[in-house]
Amino acid sequence: MGVTINTDSIDIALKQLAGKQKKIRNKALKVASEAFAKKLKENTPYYNDDTVHMRDDIKISKIDANGEIFIGYGKETAWRVHFVEIGTIKQKPQVFMQRTEREMKNTIKNIIEKEIKKGLGL
């Protein structure tokens, strides 16, 4: 005596879920990265001169194959960000990047959780 279980429908559903999972993850990362970039722009110090300002040069990369995304500064300003962040002999550190990371840590987790639940219909 034995039992036969047909798993075809389960296999199909799991394959569909796997394909959907990547789209859901990418949407969640995009929403979270936009929120982080907005807060980073708010926290970035502004110095009134004729150069390109750091807060106007915030970039969000595309999501890579590992599901990682880079939020930072463009080529015109990236070289000088660390002077403002960690300070110099003549300038105190302003730690705006660390502050942004601390402030947004839980918010980012909540955004990603909410977007994943929404995408999965939970």
Side-chain angles (χ1 to χ4, degrees):
M1 184 168 164
V3 177
T4 303
I5 300 174
N6 185 352
T7 61
D8 291 342
S9 61
I10 295 172
D11 290 340
I12 291 170
L14 288 173
K15 287 178 185 175
Q16 289 174 343
L17 185 60
K20 190 177 180 185
Q21 177 267 342
K22 188 173 180 182
K23 289 179 185 177
I24 294 169
R25 178 200 68 193
N26 289 351
K27 185 172 189 307
L29 286 174
K30 184 174 167 92
V31 171
S33 66
E34 289 170 355
F36 187 87
K38 181 180 176 186
K39 187 64 168 180
L40 183 60
K41 184 174 183 172
E42 290 174 13
N43 287 346
T44 300
Y46 183 82
Y47 179 70
N48 194 11
D49 64 359
D50 293 334
T51 61
V52 176
H53 300 287
M54 292 184 302
R55 71 168 52 164
D56 297 330
D57 196 31
I58 295 173
K59 306 291 184 194
I60 302 173
S61 74
K62 293 184 178 181
I63 300 166
D64 68 10
N66 298 323
E68 295 178 353
I69 192 164
F70 172 78
I71 305 157
Y73 298 90
K75 289 182 180 181
E76 291 191 50
T77 59
W79 65 271
R80 59 186 156 134
V81 170
H82 70 280
F83 296 122
V84 183
E85 175 70 9
I86 63 173
T88 65
I89 291 173
K90 297 183 180 191
Q91 177 180 337
K92 288 184 177 184
Q94 297 184 34
V95 295
F96 62 96
M97 293 176 69
Q98 292 175 35
R99 183 174 64 244
T100 303
E101 185 178 340
R102 245 186 346 266
E103 290 173 357
M104 293 299 291
K105 187 175 183 177
N106 290 328
T107 304
I108 295 299
K109 287 179 186 177
N110 292 337
I111 290 171
I112 291 173
E113 181 182 344
K114 179 181 138 193
E115 289 297 322
I116 288 174
K117 282 182 178 179
K118 186 168 86 174
L120 293 175
L122 301 175

